[in-house]
Short mmCIF file of all heavy atoms in Angstrom, two decimals:
data_model
loop_
_atom_site.label_atom_id
_atom_site.label_comp_id
_atom_site.label_asym_id
_atom_site.label_seq_id
_atom_site.Cartn_x
_atom_site.Cartn_y
_atom_site.Cartn_z
N ILE B 1 -11.83 54.09 12.54
CA ILE B 1 -12.29 52.88 11.86
C ILE B 1 -12.10 53.04 10.34
O ILE B 1 -11.72 52.00 9.67
CB ILE B 1 -13.80 52.65 12.19
CG1 ILE B 1 -13.86 52.31 13.70
CG2 ILE B 1 -14.40 51.58 11.32
CD1 ILE B 1 -15.32 52.32 14.18
N ASP B 2 -12.31 54.20 9.77
CA ASP B 2 -12.00 54.44 8.41
C ASP B 2 -10.53 54.15 8.01
O ASP B 2 -10.23 53.44 7.05
CB ASP B 2 -12.34 55.87 8.00
CG ASP B 2 -12.22 56.13 6.49
OD1 ASP B 2 -12.99 55.54 5.75
OD2 ASP B 2 -11.30 56.92 6.11
N LEU B 3 -9.64 54.53 8.90
CA LEU B 3 -8.19 54.42 8.67
C LEU B 3 -7.80 52.91 8.82
O LEU B 3 -6.80 52.47 8.18
CB LEU B 3 -7.39 55.22 9.68
CG LEU B 3 -7.41 56.71 9.42
CD1 LEU B 3 -7.05 57.50 10.74
CD2 LEU B 3 -6.53 57.09 8.33
N MET B 4 -8.53 52.17 9.71
CA MET B 4 -8.06 50.77 10.05
C MET B 4 -8.90 49.64 9.47
O MET B 4 -8.47 48.51 9.51
CB MET B 4 -7.93 50.66 11.56
CG MET B 4 -6.91 51.60 12.19
SD MET B 4 -6.74 51.27 13.94
CE MET B 4 -5.81 49.74 13.96
N ALA B 5 -10.08 50.01 8.93
CA ALA B 5 -11.00 48.97 8.48
C ALA B 5 -11.61 49.23 7.13
O ALA B 5 -11.78 48.32 6.32
CB ALA B 5 -12.11 48.75 9.53
N VAL B 6 -11.88 50.51 6.81
CA VAL B 6 -12.61 50.82 5.56
C VAL B 6 -11.65 51.13 4.49
O VAL B 6 -11.69 50.43 3.41
CB VAL B 6 -13.57 52.04 5.82
CG1 VAL B 6 -14.33 52.39 4.51
CG2 VAL B 6 -14.58 51.69 6.90
N ARG B 7 -10.81 52.12 4.62
CA ARG B 7 -9.85 52.53 3.59
C ARG B 7 -8.91 51.39 3.11
O ARG B 7 -8.66 51.20 1.92
CB ARG B 7 -9.05 53.73 3.96
CG ARG B 7 -9.77 54.98 3.78
CD ARG B 7 -10.14 55.38 2.41
NE ARG B 7 -9.04 55.84 1.64
CZ ARG B 7 -8.88 55.65 0.30
NH1 ARG B 7 -9.70 54.92 -0.40
NH2 ARG B 7 -7.77 56.19 -0.31
N PRO B 8 -8.40 50.56 4.06
CA PRO B 8 -7.57 49.42 3.58
C PRO B 8 -8.30 48.54 2.63
O PRO B 8 -7.64 48.09 1.63
CB PRO B 8 -7.22 48.73 4.94
CG PRO B 8 -7.31 49.77 5.99
CD PRO B 8 -8.42 50.65 5.54
N ARG B 9 -9.56 48.29 2.88
CA ARG B 9 -10.30 47.43 1.99
C ARG B 9 -10.49 48.13 0.63
O ARG B 9 -10.45 47.43 -0.47
CB ARG B 9 -11.68 47.14 2.62
CG ARG B 9 -11.68 46.11 3.74
CD ARG B 9 -13.10 45.80 4.20
NE ARG B 9 -13.13 44.68 5.08
CZ ARG B 9 -12.99 44.70 6.39
NH1 ARG B 9 -12.75 45.84 7.02
NH2 ARG B 9 -13.04 43.58 7.10
N GLU B 10 -10.77 49.38 0.64
CA GLU B 10 -11.05 50.11 -0.60
C GLU B 10 -9.80 50.14 -1.45
O GLU B 10 -9.84 49.92 -2.69
CB GLU B 10 -11.50 51.55 -0.32
CG GLU B 10 -12.85 51.64 0.28
CD GLU B 10 -13.22 53.08 0.78
OE1 GLU B 10 -12.29 53.90 0.82
OE2 GLU B 10 -14.37 53.32 1.12
N ILE B 11 -8.62 50.33 -0.88
CA ILE B 11 -7.44 50.53 -1.63
C ILE B 11 -6.99 49.17 -2.18
O ILE B 11 -6.57 49.08 -3.41
CB ILE B 11 -6.26 51.05 -0.71
CG1 ILE B 11 -6.58 52.49 -0.35
CG2 ILE B 11 -4.91 50.99 -1.41
CD1 ILE B 11 -5.73 53.12 0.75
N PHE B 12 -7.09 48.04 -1.47
CA PHE B 12 -6.61 46.77 -1.90
C PHE B 12 -7.68 45.79 -2.40
O PHE B 12 -7.40 44.62 -2.66
CB PHE B 12 -5.77 46.11 -0.80
CG PHE B 12 -4.47 46.81 -0.61
CD1 PHE B 12 -4.31 47.84 0.32
CD2 PHE B 12 -3.32 46.43 -1.36
CE1 PHE B 12 -3.05 48.52 0.44
CE2 PHE B 12 -2.12 47.05 -1.22
CZ PHE B 12 -1.97 48.09 -0.34
N GLY B 13 -8.87 46.32 -2.46
CA GLY B 13 -9.97 45.49 -3.10
C GLY B 13 -10.39 44.31 -2.22
O GLY B 13 -10.74 43.24 -2.76
N ILE B 14 -10.43 44.50 -0.89
CA ILE B 14 -10.86 43.48 0.03
C ILE B 14 -12.26 43.68 0.34
O ILE B 14 -12.76 44.78 0.73
CB ILE B 14 -9.94 43.52 1.25
CG1 ILE B 14 -8.46 43.21 0.89
CG2 ILE B 14 -10.45 42.48 2.35
CD1 ILE B 14 -7.53 43.48 2.03
N GLU B 15 -13.07 42.66 0.30
CA GLU B 15 -14.54 42.74 0.48
C GLU B 15 -14.86 43.14 1.91
O GLU B 15 -14.14 42.86 2.88
CB GLU B 15 -15.20 41.39 0.17
CG GLU B 15 -16.69 41.40 0.04
CD GLU B 15 -17.30 40.04 -0.34
OE1 GLU B 15 -16.55 39.02 -0.15
OE2 GLU B 15 -18.44 40.03 -0.74
N GLY B 16 -16.00 43.82 2.07
CA GLY B 16 -16.50 44.18 3.45
C GLY B 16 -16.37 45.65 3.72
O GLY B 16 -16.27 46.49 2.83
N GLY B 17 -16.35 45.95 5.01
CA GLY B 17 -16.17 47.35 5.39
C GLY B 17 -17.46 48.06 5.81
O GLY B 17 -17.43 49.24 6.19
N LYS B 18 -18.61 47.30 5.67
CA LYS B 18 -19.87 47.92 6.06
C LYS B 18 -20.67 46.91 6.91
O LYS B 18 -20.61 45.73 6.77
CB LYS B 18 -20.71 48.29 4.82
CG LYS B 18 -20.10 49.32 3.97
CD LYS B 18 -20.97 49.63 2.73
CE LYS B 18 -20.35 50.67 1.84
NZ LYS B 18 -21.14 51.02 0.66
N ILE B 19 -21.44 47.49 7.88
CA ILE B 19 -22.32 46.65 8.66
C ILE B 19 -23.76 46.83 8.15
O ILE B 19 -24.48 47.72 8.57
CB ILE B 19 -22.21 47.00 10.23
CG1 ILE B 19 -20.77 46.99 10.65
CG2 ILE B 19 -23.09 46.07 11.05
CD1 ILE B 19 -20.13 45.63 10.59
N GLU B 20 -24.09 46.01 7.21
CA GLU B 20 -25.47 46.09 6.62
C GLU B 20 -25.80 44.71 6.04
O GLU B 20 -24.92 43.91 5.75
CB GLU B 20 -25.52 47.18 5.57
CG GLU B 20 -24.58 47.02 4.39
CD GLU B 20 -24.56 48.19 3.49
OE1 GLU B 20 -24.68 49.35 3.92
OE2 GLU B 20 -24.45 47.96 2.24
N PRO B 21 -27.07 44.44 5.83
CA PRO B 21 -27.53 43.11 5.32
C PRO B 21 -26.84 42.83 3.99
O PRO B 21 -26.67 43.63 3.10
CB PRO B 21 -29.05 43.32 5.17
CG PRO B 21 -29.43 44.34 6.16
CD PRO B 21 -28.30 45.27 6.21
N GLY B 22 -26.42 41.53 3.90
CA GLY B 22 -25.75 41.01 2.71
C GLY B 22 -24.27 41.12 2.69
O GLY B 22 -23.61 40.54 1.89
N MET B 23 -23.72 41.91 3.62
CA MET B 23 -22.24 42.05 3.75
C MET B 23 -21.61 40.83 4.47
O MET B 23 -22.31 40.29 5.36
CB MET B 23 -21.93 43.34 4.38
CG MET B 23 -22.33 44.64 3.67
SD MET B 23 -21.58 44.74 2.00
CE MET B 23 -19.87 45.04 2.47
N PRO B 24 -20.42 40.54 4.23
CA PRO B 24 -19.78 39.44 4.94
C PRO B 24 -19.74 39.77 6.46
O PRO B 24 -19.51 40.92 6.86
CB PRO B 24 -18.34 39.43 4.37
CG PRO B 24 -18.45 40.07 3.06
CD PRO B 24 -19.54 41.08 3.19
N ALA B 25 -20.00 38.82 7.25
CA ALA B 25 -20.05 39.01 8.71
C ALA B 25 -18.63 38.95 9.26
O ALA B 25 -18.19 38.09 10.06
CB ALA B 25 -20.92 37.98 9.36
N ASP B 26 -17.79 39.92 8.85
CA ASP B 26 -16.40 40.12 9.31
C ASP B 26 -16.39 41.30 10.23
O ASP B 26 -16.41 42.42 9.81
CB ASP B 26 -15.48 40.36 8.12
CG ASP B 26 -15.39 39.25 7.12
OD1 ASP B 26 -15.84 38.11 7.49
OD2 ASP B 26 -14.86 39.44 6.03
N ILE B 27 -16.50 41.01 11.55
CA ILE B 27 -16.73 42.07 12.52
C ILE B 27 -15.99 41.88 13.81
O ILE B 27 -15.44 40.80 14.05
CB ILE B 27 -18.28 42.15 12.88
CG1 ILE B 27 -18.73 40.89 13.57
CG2 ILE B 27 -19.14 42.41 11.67
CD1 ILE B 27 -20.10 40.96 14.11
N CYS B 28 -15.83 42.99 14.58
CA CYS B 28 -15.28 42.83 15.87
C CYS B 28 -16.11 43.69 16.82
O CYS B 28 -16.89 44.59 16.37
CB CYS B 28 -13.85 43.31 15.94
SG CYS B 28 -13.55 45.00 15.41
N VAL B 29 -16.03 43.41 18.11
CA VAL B 29 -16.82 44.13 19.13
C VAL B 29 -15.83 44.54 20.22
O VAL B 29 -15.22 43.70 20.89
CB VAL B 29 -17.94 43.27 19.73
CG1 VAL B 29 -18.68 44.08 20.82
CG2 VAL B 29 -18.87 42.80 18.64
N TYR B 30 -15.64 45.83 20.39
CA TYR B 30 -14.72 46.40 21.40
C TYR B 30 -15.46 47.01 22.53
O TYR B 30 -16.44 47.72 22.36
CB TYR B 30 -13.87 47.51 20.73
CG TYR B 30 -12.44 47.04 20.27
CD1 TYR B 30 -12.23 46.44 19.08
CD2 TYR B 30 -11.39 47.21 21.20
CE1 TYR B 30 -10.93 46.02 18.72
CE2 TYR B 30 -10.12 46.75 20.86
CZ TYR B 30 -9.88 46.18 19.56
OH TYR B 30 -8.61 45.80 19.28
N ASP B 31 -14.91 46.74 23.74
CA ASP B 31 -15.32 47.52 24.95
C ASP B 31 -14.37 48.65 25.10
O ASP B 31 -13.16 48.49 25.49
CB ASP B 31 -15.23 46.56 26.18
CG ASP B 31 -15.67 47.32 27.49
OD1 ASP B 31 -15.78 48.55 27.44
OD2 ASP B 31 -15.90 46.56 28.43
N LEU B 32 -14.84 49.86 24.79
CA LEU B 32 -13.96 51.03 24.74
C LEU B 32 -13.66 51.60 26.10
O LEU B 32 -12.69 52.34 26.24
CB LEU B 32 -14.61 52.11 23.87
CG LEU B 32 -14.77 51.75 22.38
CD1 LEU B 32 -15.38 52.93 21.65
CD2 LEU B 32 -13.51 51.25 21.74
N ASN B 33 -14.37 51.16 27.10
CA ASN B 33 -14.07 51.65 28.46
C ASN B 33 -13.15 50.76 29.23
O ASN B 33 -12.78 51.03 30.38
CB ASN B 33 -15.40 51.76 29.27
CG ASN B 33 -16.23 53.03 28.82
OD1 ASN B 33 -15.65 53.90 28.16
ND2 ASN B 33 -17.45 53.02 29.19
N LYS B 34 -12.80 49.54 28.65
CA LYS B 34 -12.00 48.60 29.37
C LYS B 34 -10.53 49.11 29.40
O LYS B 34 -9.89 49.37 28.35
CB LYS B 34 -12.05 47.26 28.64
CG LYS B 34 -11.20 46.17 29.31
CD LYS B 34 -11.80 45.72 30.65
CE LYS B 34 -11.06 44.54 31.18
NZ LYS B 34 -11.52 44.15 32.54
N LYS B 35 -10.00 49.32 30.60
CA LYS B 35 -8.65 49.82 30.80
C LYS B 35 -7.69 48.63 31.14
O LYS B 35 -8.12 47.71 31.87
CB LYS B 35 -8.62 50.84 31.90
CG LYS B 35 -7.31 51.63 32.08
CD LYS B 35 -7.49 52.63 33.17
CE LYS B 35 -6.19 53.45 33.29
NZ LYS B 35 -6.34 54.47 34.38
N PHE B 36 -6.54 48.66 30.55
CA PHE B 36 -5.54 47.61 30.84
C PHE B 36 -4.13 48.13 30.69
O PHE B 36 -3.96 49.22 30.12
CB PHE B 36 -5.73 46.41 29.90
CG PHE B 36 -5.40 46.69 28.49
CD1 PHE B 36 -4.20 46.24 27.90
CD2 PHE B 36 -6.27 47.38 27.63
CE1 PHE B 36 -3.88 46.48 26.61
CE2 PHE B 36 -5.97 47.63 26.30
CZ PHE B 36 -4.74 47.15 25.80
N THR B 37 -3.20 47.40 31.22
CA THR B 37 -1.80 47.79 31.08
C THR B 37 -1.13 46.77 30.07
O THR B 37 -1.32 45.52 30.22
CB THR B 37 -1.04 47.65 32.41
OG1 THR B 37 -1.72 48.63 33.31
CG2 THR B 37 0.42 48.01 32.28
N VAL B 38 -0.42 47.31 29.08
CA VAL B 38 0.24 46.44 28.10
C VAL B 38 1.33 45.62 28.81
O VAL B 38 2.17 46.15 29.47
CB VAL B 38 0.90 47.29 27.00
CG1 VAL B 38 1.59 46.40 26.00
CG2 VAL B 38 -0.12 48.10 26.24
N ASP B 39 1.18 44.33 28.61
CA ASP B 39 2.18 43.35 29.14
C ASP B 39 2.57 42.41 27.98
O ASP B 39 1.77 41.51 27.65
CB ASP B 39 1.58 42.53 30.29
CG ASP B 39 2.50 41.51 30.92
OD1 ASP B 39 3.66 41.41 30.35
OD2 ASP B 39 2.19 40.80 31.84
N SER B 40 3.70 42.70 27.37
CA SER B 40 4.06 41.84 26.22
C SER B 40 4.23 40.44 26.46
O SER B 40 4.16 39.58 25.57
CB SER B 40 5.40 42.47 25.62
OG SER B 40 6.44 42.38 26.57
N ASN B 41 4.48 40.01 27.76
CA ASN B 41 4.59 38.58 28.06
C ASN B 41 3.25 37.89 27.83
O ASN B 41 3.29 36.65 27.81
CB ASN B 41 5.06 38.42 29.53
CG ASN B 41 6.45 38.91 29.72
OD1 ASN B 41 7.33 38.60 28.91
ND2 ASN B 41 6.70 39.58 30.82
N ARG B 42 2.19 38.61 27.77
CA ARG B 42 0.86 38.04 27.53
C ARG B 42 0.47 38.04 26.07
O ARG B 42 -0.71 37.63 25.75
CB ARG B 42 -0.20 38.67 28.43
CG ARG B 42 0.17 38.61 29.88
CD ARG B 42 -0.90 39.27 30.77
NE ARG B 42 -2.14 38.51 30.73
CZ ARG B 42 -3.22 38.90 31.37
NH1 ARG B 42 -3.23 39.99 32.13
NH2 ARG B 42 -4.31 38.17 31.32
N PHE B 43 1.34 38.50 25.23
CA PHE B 43 0.95 38.59 23.78
C PHE B 43 0.78 37.14 23.22
O PHE B 43 1.49 36.23 23.61
CB PHE B 43 2.11 39.20 23.01
CG PHE B 43 2.12 40.73 23.04
CD1 PHE B 43 3.12 41.42 22.43
CD2 PHE B 43 1.20 41.46 23.75
CE1 PHE B 43 3.18 42.77 22.49
CE2 PHE B 43 1.19 42.85 23.82
CZ PHE B 43 2.18 43.54 23.18
#
């Protein structure tokens, strides 16, 4: 998450990167147990 969400914001001055009151509600929710097969036709 640091590599893909936090550090990019720090380097390029993009707001956000924390889940705490007052921060922009820019969030995602992942199901980490969900298994799937990559099918590029469904991109």
Side-chain angles (χ1 to χ4, degrees):
I1 293 167
D2 185 65
L3 289 160
M4 297 185 74
V6 179
R7 283 293 285 146
R9 285 184 168 89
E10 292 173 347
I11 292 167
F12 287 92
I14 298 169
E15 194 177 15
K18 296 180 180 179
I19 307 297
E20 59 185 39
M23 295 299 291
D26 298 345
I27 64 174
C28 60
V29 181
Y30 260 88
D31 181 346
L32 298 181
N33 286 344
K34 182 69 173 177
K35 189 177 182 180
F36 70 101
T37 300
V38 177
D39 179 358
S40 61
N41 291 318
R42 302 181 68 181
F43 282 177

